[in-house]
Amino acid sequence: MDLTVDELAARAGVTVRTVRFYAGRGLLPPPRLRGRTGLYGPDHLARLELVRELQSLGLTLAAIEKHLRKIPLDAPAEDLALQRALLSPWAPERPEDLDRHELDRRAGRHLDDDTLQRLEALGVVEHVAPDTVRVVMPALLGISAELAALPMPLDTLVASHEAVERHTTALAAELQQVFQDTVVRPYRESGRSPEERDRLMELAGKLKPLMIQSLVSSFQHAVDKAIRTSTDRA
């Protein structure tokens, strides 16, 4: 696949200026020259797609550059696709801007101003205009709306949310490190065989739902244990 810079930009969904900017920052390898025309291949496209995946995770340009420095410039498109596969199952949802009517429809209930203030305190929504609300975590909108409607002090909800956020962030970081140390690093050190790469791509696609189910079950067990311990002490 030989692409001009215009064709590469179109395939990647970015502007030519963006391609040239990334190339200038060392995020893309130099093109192959045919006369005075630079030609780009699957590895360039795969690297651009990886950059966009990293951006969707909220990484800064400096963090993206640091990550890509670990990947050789001559890495084949298949290795870059594996990098995306390892990232994309964990990529967060993108925020959505909704008007009040659509917000109520998505939440499955009418959200009055008081409930919206509680959701904003929980970090689920943000006001961006008088009649427009940005849903930061769309997947949590329904359950968060139910929580916000409970006759419970806002301080209790906020403290609970902060506790969950704090512990799940630490857990995610630890699990990611375990996966890197025991799965990704051995793959790199063993020579990156195509068979092992295919196995890792399949594993990455299955990992997220299984981990979420495991986390929910473990948390339920932990809550039951905490309740029993608290009751025994009472």
Side-chain angles (χ1 to χ4, degrees), residues 127-142:
H127 280 281
V128 294
D131 296 318
T132 304
V133 174
R134 175 166 297 154
V135 183
V136 180
M137 296 177 284
L140 291 180
L141 178 59

Side-chain angles (χ1 to χ4, degrees), residues 107-119:
R109 61 172 63 211
H110 172 63
L111 303 178
D112 57 25
D113 291 341
D114 181 62
T115 302
L116 275 180
Q117 288 178 359
R118 290 162 73 87
L119 286 174

Side-chain angles (χ1 to χ4, degrees), residues 80-99:
L80 295 166
L82 173 60
Q83 285 284 331
R84 285 190 65 210
L86 294 174
L87 292 170
S88 57
W90 304 96
E93 292 182 290
R94 289 180 172 83
E96 296 184 50
D97 291 352
L98 307 175
D99 59 30

Side-chain angles (χ1 to χ4, degrees), residues 10-214:
R11 290 282 292 270
V14 299
T15 65
V16 171
R17 183 178 180 180
T18 298
V19 173
R20 298 194 190 282
F21 174 75
Y22 288 158
R25 302 284 297 198
L27 299 182
L28 294 177
R32 181 172 61 85
L33 293 178
R34 180 186 294 166
R36 299 180 62 182
T37 301
L39 297 177
Y40 300 82
D43 53 331
H44 295 91
L45 179 59
R47 194 170 285 261
L48 278 175
E49 291 170 341
L50 178 57
V51 170
R52 296 188 68 186
E53 198 73 62
L54 292 167
Q55 287 175 326
S56 75
L57 288 167
L59 270 66
T60 63
L61 181 60
I64 292 173
E65 290 176 342
K66 182 178 179 181
H67 181 83
L68 289 183
R69 276 198 293 269
K70 302 175 183 177
I71 306 173
L73 282 176
D74 60 352
E78 292 80 7
D79 273 6
L80 295 166
L82 173 60
Q83 285 284 331
R84 285 190 65 210
L86 294 174
L87 292 170
S88 57
W90 304 96
E93 292 182 290
R94 289 180 172 83
E96 296 184 50
D97 291 352
L98 307 175
D99 59 30
R100 293 292 292 268
H101 175 76
E102 179 62 15
L103 183 68
D104 287 351
R105 189 188 72 80
R106 296 279 289 274
R109 61 172 63 211
H110 172 63
L111 303 178
D112 57 25
D113 291 341
D114 181 62
T115 302
L116 275 180
Q117 288 178 359
R118 290 162 73 87
L119 286 174
E120 191 166 10
L122 292 173
V124 179
V125 303
E126 300 172 351
H127 280 281
V128 294
D131 296 318
T132 304
V133 174
R134 175 166 297 154
V135 183
V136 180
M137 296 177 284
L140 291 180
L141 178 59
I143 187 66
S144 297
E146 292 186 36
L147 281 171
L150 292 176
M152 187 179 294
L154 178 59
D155 289 347
T156 302
L157 292 177
V158 171
S160 300
H161 170 76
E162 290 177 347
V164 171
E165 183 76 13
R166 182 170 62 254
H167 290 289
T168 53
T169 297
L171 176 61
E174 184 173 347
L175 291 176
Q176 173 71 3
Q177 191 61 54
V178 168
F179 188 76
Q180 288 290 326
D181 291 342
T182 62
V183 177
V184 178
R185 184 170 296 143
Y187 160 74
R188 290 172 177 164
E189 293 174 350
S190 65
R192 295 182 168 93
S193 70
E195 295 79 13
E196 188 67 10
R197 180 176 60 238
D198 293 342
R199 187 185 72 83
L200 275 183
M201 291 187 72
E202 181 181 2
L203 175 63
K206 295 178 178 179
L207 183 62
K208 181 179 179 180
L210 292 175
M211 289 299 298
I212 290 175
Q213 292 175 28
S214 175

